[in-house]
Amino acid sequence: MTGTLRISDPAEGVRLLTLDRPTRRNALDRATYGALREAILRAGDEGAVRAIVLTGAGGCFTAGNDLADFRETDETGEDSPGLALLKVLAACPKPLVAAVEGHAVGIGTTLLLHCDLAYAGEGARFRLPFVNLGLSPEGASSYLLPLVAGTKRAAELLMLGEVFGPAVAAEAGLVNAVVATGQALDTALARATALAALPPVSIAATKRALRAGHAEIVARTLASEAETFHALRRGPEAQAAFAAFFARSAGR
């Protein structure tokens, strides 16, 4: 366990990773990115772990990037902790299952494209506000989202950046199913337990086969998106959007 991530093994073969920054709606800062990346790498290497579940504490998945941590950094796309996490998610050899309650913003939505299964509570709310913040898509979403949702739906979600509910997330291929509020984690754990009981060599081979045709283009897209994203982050539109966000937050 770290200060930002809880790690547990709730069932045989199942590793549960819980984002735990409730005062920040589980927003991802550098420490959290690093802790989550290391935890996924360790789970991928441990023979006893056969499936990994990712969720957020306090009825919230994640509010995405912690803007207070993210606004002033000098990092480029190449050395971004977010990109480092996404690369690990994309390459993880074991099944990844997400349980989404509450908010899933920005990378909180795009990382679902790298999970094998995902379940959302009825109260979940998703958003891809990159354009609204003067930024551009990340997480290989410019490639993967049109692939699963179709180009028109992907354009709507990525260009307008509006909040959408779990029914749209399911229709767009971001989650497998919508369950009662508060039941996403139980559902994800049940599916992960079922996966953990199956022959691990067969599961690994199936995951490789499902992703083999897209692995190279996903890797290229992750890198090219990150370069554009961080160039825009330092630009005037993004800096103005960040300033407006903090002004609104201070006025609450």
Side-chain angles (χ1 to χ4, degrees):
M1 179 173 177
T2 73
T4 60
L5 183 70
R6 284 192 272 124
I7 302 171
S8 60
D9 297 317
E12 185 175 356
V14 177
R15 176 66 46 84
L16 174 61
L17 306 177
T18 304
L19 297 170
D20 192 16
R21 300 186 73 213
T23 61
R24 302 292 295 171
R25 293 196 305 173
N26 301 325
L28 299 165
D29 61 359
R30 291 180 188 84
T32 311
Y33 274 124
L36 185 54
R37 176 181 176 275
E38 290 304 314
I40 292 169
L41 283 172
R42 284 198 305 273
D45 287 339
E46 289 183 30
V49 177
R50 295 188 174 187
I52 304 164
V53 176
L54 177 61
T55 193
C60 180
F61 190 56
T62 173
N65 274 306
D66 187 327
L67 292 185
D69 179 80
F70 169 75
R71 180 187 186 187
E72 301 297 342
T73 178
D74 291 330
E75 70 199 18
T76 65
E78 200 171 291
D79 58 14
S80 158
L83 178 59
L85 170 64
L86 288 160
K87 286 180 177 178
V88 166
L89 287 170
C92 183
K94 295 180 180 176
L96 287 163
V97 185
V100 181
E101 301 280 1
H103 295 283
V105 180
I107 194 170
T109 293
T110 60
L111 70 78
L112 299 175
L113 293 164
H114 300 283
C115 293
D116 300 286
L117 303 174
Y119 301 92
E122 290 176 334
R125 293 294 178 265
F126 302 80
R127 193 180 181 198
L128 296 163
F130 304 119
V131 169
N132 313 69
L133 291 171
L135 300 168
S136 56
E138 44 87 311
S141 57
S142 63
Y143 172 72
L144 290 172
L145 191 56
L147 197 66
V148 297
T151 54
K152 295 291 191 299
R153 177 65 86 182
E156 179 180 51
L157 299 181
L158 286 168
M159 288 183 175
L160 291 172
E162 296 171 340
V163 176
F164 58 99
V168 172
E171 182 255 334
L174 287 161
V175 300
N176 291 79
V178 182
V179 299
T181 297
Q183 294 302 306
L185 180 56
D186 286 345
T187 304
L189 288 172
R191 304 314 289 163
T193 300
L195 288 167
L198 294 167
V201 174
S202 296
I203 289 289
T206 301
K207 177 162 182 170
R208 284 196 305 271
L210 285 168
R211 294 177 179 250
H214 306 289
E216 289 187 11
I217 191 167
V218 166
R220 290 198 304 271
T221 306
L222 282 171
S224 63
E225 283 180 349
E227 182 179 355
T228 302
F229 182 94
H230 284 280
L232 289 174
R233 177 183 58 77
R234 295 186 292 272
E237 291 88 354
Q239 291 298 315
F242 297 157
F245 172 83
F246 287 115
R248 288 194 301 272
S249 298
R252 287 175 186 167

